[in-house]
Amino acid sequence: MAYALPQPLPSICDFMIRLDNISKQNGHQILFIEASAALLKGEKIGLVGPNGAGKTTLFRMISGQDLPDEGQVSVDRGVSIGYFSQDVGEMAGRSAVAEVMDGAGPVSGVAAELRDLEAAMVDPERGDEMEQILERYGEVQARFQDLDGYALDARAREVLAGLGFTQEMMEGDVGKLSGGWKMRVALGRILLMRPEVMLLDEPSNHLDLESLIWLESFLKGYDGALLMTSHDREFMNRIVGKIIEIDGGSLTTYAGDYEFYEQQRALNEKQQQAQFERQQAMLAKEIKFIERFKARASHAAQVQSRVKKLEKIERVEPPRRRQSIAFEFMPAPRSGEDVASLKDVHKGYGSRSIYQGLDFMVRRKERWCVMGINGAGKSTLLKLIAGAAAPDQGTVAIGGSVKMGYFAQHAMDLLDGERTVFEELEYTFPQAGQGSLRALAGCFGFSGDDVEKRCRVLSGGEKARLVMAKMLYDPPNFLVLDEPTNHLDMATKEMLIAALSDFEGTMLFVSHDRHFLAALSNRVLELTTDGIHQYGGGYTEYVARTGQEAPGLRS
């Protein structure tokens, strides 16, 4: 077990951001009740709490986009804050490089003025102003040089390359990118800005493993203060040295990484439960005495004394129980020994070749994780095996008695937006009883009124959970999963890992979550530019054997 070492008390000049007795309510939901916390210079803090607890609201209050109902949010004078949120807004008409450079603080404004002055110098209609334009250009150019502006373009490209952009994507119109790539552009703006405080709300979403590891390295080397949320426990563990938990309206600070926080929280709950039980036993004993002797005059003084004593006792509350979800597979039919076979498979898109003569076999009870850089063909392989794409040449054969469950990101777009969660389950499983379907919904985080939500208003995480529930209820014996943990919170990920650990069938999957990879794989298929490599043993053994956490990256 890890232990937090005592730290010297911070001086007043160390505080960059303070939250003093803040209270906040959204509609009927109370988010914070007289909650307090602080962010010190150079600290890297993970912000955790259940969905809807108020993490994004806290970010908005710190960045000045929202105000507490009571209390105060204090930001040290002159401190620059960069806030990355999941709401990136509209982006179009500029290249990814220009969009990222635009967020680089004062230097981006100077760069814009420099471009305007350069245009003015070649404008024939402004010839009579040329002397003033040239004088101003000299001043702005000197300022741009002082701010290291000429290195800005190179730094912007370095950040975008780290986040997975090719040179072609950097130069292309950002408006043509998918939502996930626009998220990376928005994140790049904050990273290039290098403010004194970064607020990052789920920066690990939409990143592949290579980009995730690059971002991890970047944030480790960042010397400012950081407050972030992430559903990736490995990513969080490697970066933060403190945790702030939002739960039940209060903010609790833990010194240590996420793993230490989990251990300490469990220990605190155990101690609080024991304290609660001891007090309940004592109260029961006192109440029993009072009830027994309250009618006897000879014991009136003692009874009265004990009644007053009970009135003064500060009650210990039982620990707040987090809703835990669990899913168990119903027995699936056994497949044959050969589950999937690819022989001499060729596949390309236009002039781009993905596979040339691929041979690959999946056997019963194997759990293959597929690894490779963007464009290596990970999703294409899963599509070929699932029948969602056909090979240009060669054969893909599925073995006898194989019942496949295929999870792909596009499956979330196939939900009927007008159906409620429960109606979607009823439509998919018309023979199932209502009790069984409600239990299924509960396992995947849809309890109470949540089952009445229409699919069109569900978040990405809720849609992923619903698709997963539909796939796993009628149990397959071969799971083909393309990034199944995208959008899932830590509790749902843990439930999924626990369920899949007990799964008796075969798995083939792609994931950027290292905890998921390590927990579930027993084979690795690595797709690289110099060929395709197969490794016996899971992801942990792959890392030990290759010295890298992802293809092409050294750990």
Side-chain angles (χ1 to χ4, degrees), residues 85-345:
S85 74
Q86 295 294 303
D87 183 14
V88 298
E90 286 300 314
M91 292 182 185
R94 292 196 291 185
S95 69
V97 171
E99 194 71 44
V100 167
M101 286 173 63
D102 191 50
V107 69
S108 63
V110 179
E113 187 178 356
L114 207 57
R115 288 194 297 271
D116 291 343
L117 288 166
E118 287 167 352
M121 283 192 289
V122 296
D123 186 347
E125 295 184 7
R126 300 187 66 178
D128 56 343
E129 303 173 57
M130 197 55 61
E131 189 176 335
Q132 298 96 309
I133 290 171
L134 287 170
E135 183 180 349
R136 179 59 183 161
Y137 184 78
E139 294 170 355
V140 175
Q141 191 178 42
R143 172 70 174 145
F144 190 63
Q145 196 162 353
D146 288 344
L147 291 170
D148 200 23
Y150 287 106
L152 187 63
D153 181 87
R155 284 168 40 218
R157 291 176 187 277
E158 184 182 347
V159 167
L160 285 170
L163 294 175
F165 284 77
T166 62
Q167 289 298 323
E168 184 181 357
M169 292 171 71
M170 291 181 200
E171 299 295 347
D173 184 350
V174 73
K176 295 180 180 178
L177 297 174
S178 68
W181 285 100
K182 285 180 181 175
M183 287 274 191
R184 296 190 195 205
V185 172
L187 177 59
R189 285 171 63 116
I190 305 300
L191 301 182
L192 184 65
M193 177 183 171
R194 290 190 82 101
E196 290 160 286
V197 176
M198 276 195 210
L199 307 177
L200 303 182
D201 193 0
E202 292 295 342
S204 52
N205 273 4
H206 304 287
L207 297 184
D208 54 40
L209 185 53
E210 293 74 27
S211 300
L212 193 65
I213 293 169
W214 177 88
L215 178 60
E216 186 179 282
S217 175
F218 183 98
L219 293 177
K220 281 181 183 176
Y222 166 64
D223 56 8
L226 170 68
L227 181 65
M228 74 169 189
T229 62
S230 177
H231 290 154
D232 188 319
R233 62 186 297 141
E234 191 67 31
F235 179 72
M236 180 94 80
N237 261 337
R238 296 188 185 197
I239 294 169
V240 305
K242 185 179 283 189
I243 296 288
I244 294 177
E245 178 194 53
I246 307 176
D247 196 14
S250 63
L251 295 171
T252 307
T253 301
Y254 296 81
D257 60 14
Y258 185 82
E259 190 173 340
F260 174 81
Y261 151 74
E262 278 198 316
Q263 294 170 352
Q264 194 61 43
R265 191 180 195 281
L267 180 62
N268 291 350
E269 283 186 354
K270 187 177 179 181
Q271 291 173 341
Q272 189 176 346
Q273 181 66 31
Q275 198 177 353
F276 170 74
E277 289 173 0
R278 283 196 301 271
Q279 189 182 69
Q280 289 298 303
M282 181 274 290
L283 292 174
K285 186 177 178 182
E286 293 295 313
I287 291 168
K288 185 176 180 181
F289 179 91
I290 291 167
E291 290 297 319
R292 182 179 178 187
F293 295 109
K294 65 181 179 182
R296 298 188 188 181
S298 60
H299 287 73
Q302 286 177 281
V303 168
Q304 194 59 32
S305 171
R306 296 198 181 198
V307 169
K308 288 180 179 178
K309 176 184 170 184
L310 289 186
E311 288 173 350
K312 291 178 181 177
I313 287 176
E314 187 175 342
R315 297 294 197 267
V316 176
E317 295 293 328
R320 193 178 292 109
R321 297 295 181 192
R322 290 265 179 100
Q323 182 183 5
S324 59
I325 50 181
F327 177 80
E328 292 183 3
F329 281 92
M330 291 185 286
R334 177 178 168 140
S335 72
E337 289 302 313
D338 293 343
V339 174
S341 172
L342 287 78
K343 292 183 179 177
D344 193 30
V345 165

Side-chain angles (χ1 to χ4, degrees), residues 436-448:
S436 175
L437 293 182
R438 288 193 182 277
L440 174 67
C443 284
F444 284 85
F446 297 103
S447 57

